[in-house]
Amino acid sequence: MIRASLFLIGITLPMMLVGCVSMVLPRVSTENSGPPAVPAIATDGLTRASWEGGRADLLARFEAEIYGAWPGDAPARVTARRIIDPSAFEGRGRLEEWDVDLGPMDTHLVVLMPAGATEPLPVIVMQTFCGTRTAFGGAFDLSPPVNPSARECGTSGGWQSALMTSIFGRHIAEPPMEQILDRGYALAFLHPGDIVPDNPTGAPPALDLLMDGRESGAIIAWAWGYARVIDALESDPRFDDQRMAVWGHSRNAKSALVAAAFDPRIDLVLSHQAGTGGTTLTRSDVGESVAQITETYPYWFNGTYAGYGDTEAAIPIDQHQLIALMAPRPLLIGGGWRDAWSDPQGSYRAGVGANPVYALYGSDGLRQERLDAFDPTADIAVFMRRGLHGVQPSDWDAFLAFLDAHFSHSQ
Ligand code: GCU
């Protein structure tokens, strides 16, 4: 009885707190607050050939100024596949775990696919900061992360998961598996902590191992992880190599975007609340600053980026160019009206800033005129929902609408 009451208090109080915070925090404006506050991509003399000719240099600038070096392109190798459950989620899905050799380290990939599919499946590749076992609520016999410093949270459901979801939304750790399977998508989960643990003690040795002396940061290393999952999936004919999406929330959303800039095999990006170092403009003076992000998470970026802490306006590149590097592939930018920390307006303006490059490929890019005019058929779309930072059921409705609009497939 006492335990039950404590449990209830532990869950209800945070929920009430989240409700109050969300009412007190300022709401992001619906209107576009003006033209991108960034040097626009010069359209004078811009052609597909000139853009494509300059891609490698621009990628190298993102490595030099912000993220550190891309680890390399040696493909991952699947060394074993195990069936965990041939009819998981009440017969809807087949769950497998694959052993994957990434070169410098090994990992496990967990793959969930609609049961009985007869055609190559579209896939959503995801990384979550609580880990793969948590994504399944501890319900299956999945392996722990290979790297002992990799973080997991709430692996066995219980109060930890309940607390997490009351603060960050129902799907912060567990995506809506049934809904995704019913819509015909497979899911592939990689624990980013196997590549670089997300903590200041585990990250430096992992980066050393991965980079062999070259300077780099965790965001681009995790992005490389998405690319390695694409290697693994492309080696399996059950998956459609023309419909490979990457999904990430927040820090993982930054990496998902970087991954698509570097790896053209990624067909679509769902980048939810990516914020600074992700979809939002570095020069935007709203939300998290470069000084804040690099002080709290120094191992996410290279040292040069931290140097822009007091001089953001001096950074010679900005995130609209990173979005442009994935043109004309579809990008969904997700946000919350009270999540000013991740600066949805700055992301909107970065999307607009990428339009000249989308136009080179005959795409309108981001064409909505207000943040609340979500159009899932557009190649760059901004989706906003009520509330704060986290992953809610309405977010997944929007992700799936966007996927359906771009990956229309028979079921
Ligand atoms: C922190 C960080 C953000 C990041 C977020 C997350 O808030 O400052 O940059 O996006 O964590 O990953 O949840």
Side-chain angles (χ1 to χ4, degrees):
M1 180 66 187
I2 296 177
R3 269 185 75 176
S5 316
L6 284 175
F7 177 80
L8 271 179
I9 293 170
I11 303 308
T12 343
L13 275 182
M15 280 180 83
M16 284 165 60
L17 198 67
V18 170
C20 297
V21 168
S22 124
M23 265 146 52
V24 169
L25 284 176
R27 190 179 186 281
V28 171
S29 163
T30 317
E31 307 295 331
N32 171 21
S33 61
V38 289
I41 291 174
T43 45
D44 231 22
L46 182 68
T47 62
R48 247 160 96 158
S50 72
W51 171 255
E52 283 166 13
R55 273 188 106 259
D57 282 350
L58 187 53
L59 286 168
R61 295 189 83 190
F62 275 98
E63 292 178 282
E65 302 290 349
I66 301 181
Y67 298 109
W70 177 259
D73 286 311
R77 236 167 23 92
V78 180
T79 53
R81 287 182 173 85
R82 281 180 296 285
I83 300 172
I84 302 289
D85 188 340
S87 58
F89 299 99
E90 295 171 354
R92 286 181 169 90
R94 174 187 172 91
L95 186 63
E96 296 184 2
E97 186 176 79
W98 301 0
D99 297 340
V100 181
D101 175 357
L102 295 172
M105 72 279 290
D106 294 331
T107 191
H108 300 295
L109 188 65
V110 171
V111 183
L112 176 67
M113 64 203 95
T118 50
E119 291 188 353
L121 291 161
V123 198
I124 310 167
V125 181
M126 49 172 70
Q127 297 184 23
T128 61
F129 48 85
C130 275
T132 307
R133 293 197 298 181
T134 310
F136 288 89
F140 297 94
D141 187 19
L142 299 171
S143 303
V146 173
N147 190 318
S149 310
R151 181 170 64 168
E152 289 188 286
C153 29
T155 40
S156 53
W159 70 270
Q160 275 188 334
S161 306
L163 187 64
M164 217 159 54
T165 53
S166 73
I167 298 175
F168 295 114
R170 171 141 29 117
H171 298 305
I172 184 62
E174 300 180 30
M177 310 284 187
E178 287 90 346
Q179 187 186 2
I180 295 168
L181 289 170
D182 288 348
R183 295 279 276 267
Y185 295 95
L187 285 162
F189 297 84
L190 173 75
H191 195 320
D194 273 348
I195 298 170
V196 178
D198 193 5
N199 58 68
T201 43
L207 282 165
D208 282 350
L209 175 71
L210 179 63
M211 301 307 301
D212 203 15
R214 291 181 303 151
E215 190 195 13
S216 197
I219 297 288
I220 199 167
W222 297 326
W224 173 85
Y226 280 108
R228 303 291 61 90
V229 177
I230 303 289
D231 300 335
L233 292 167
E234 285 199 351
S235 71
D236 189 323
R238 291 175 296 176
F239 305 101
D240 183 350
D241 62 10
Q242 303 297 306
R243 292 184 296 169
M244 303 248 162
V246 294
W247 176 91
H249 167 243
S250 212
R251 63 201 68 187
N252 306 120
K254 304 181 207 295
S255 295
L257 178 64
V258 173
F262 279 83
D263 189 339
R265 299 170 306 167
I266 292 171
D267 300 302
L268 181 151
V269 177
L270 303 162
S271 181
H272 184 53
Q273 298 179 321
T276 302
T279 47
T280 199
L281 295 168
T282 302
R283 288 183 185 80
S284 165
D285 50 11
V286 175
E288 186 174 23
S289 66
V290 172
Q292 284 164 325
I293 201 168
T294 53
E295 269 156 32
T296 318
Y297 303 102
Y299 55 93
W300 282 5
F301 303 96
N302 68 6
T304 310
Y305 188 53
Y308 293 111
D310 297 323
T311 52
E312 286 175 2
I315 196 161
I317 48 173
D318 215 326
Q319 300 306 100
H320 61 310
Q321 291 163 289
L322 188 67
I323 296 176
L325 283 164
M326 64 166 285
R329 292 164 287 161
L331 168 67
L332 175 63
I333 299 171
W337 290 115
R338 309 271 175 184
D339 180 27
W341 183 247
S342 81
D343 185 17
Q345 276 281 353
S347 294
Y348 177 94
R349 297 206 305 283
V352 174
N355 276 351
V357 178
Y358 274 73
L360 295 177
Y361 297 88
S363 162
D364 291 342
L366 197 155
R367 57 182 182 227
Q368 71 192 69
E369 281 175 9
R370 296 157 50 102
L371 270 78
D372 61 354
F374 174 52
D375 173 4
T377 66
D379 286 335
I380 306 177
V382 173
F383 169 71
M384 297 291 293
R385 55 117 176 97
R386 290 171 53 182
L388 301 163
H389 204 64
V391 190
Q392 307 280 2
S394 57
D395 293 322
W396 268 100
D397 292 343
F399 303 154
L400 289 166
F402 189 72
L403 282 160
D404 283 355
H406 294 279
F407 281 179
S408 57
H409 55 86
S410 52
Q411 290 183 39

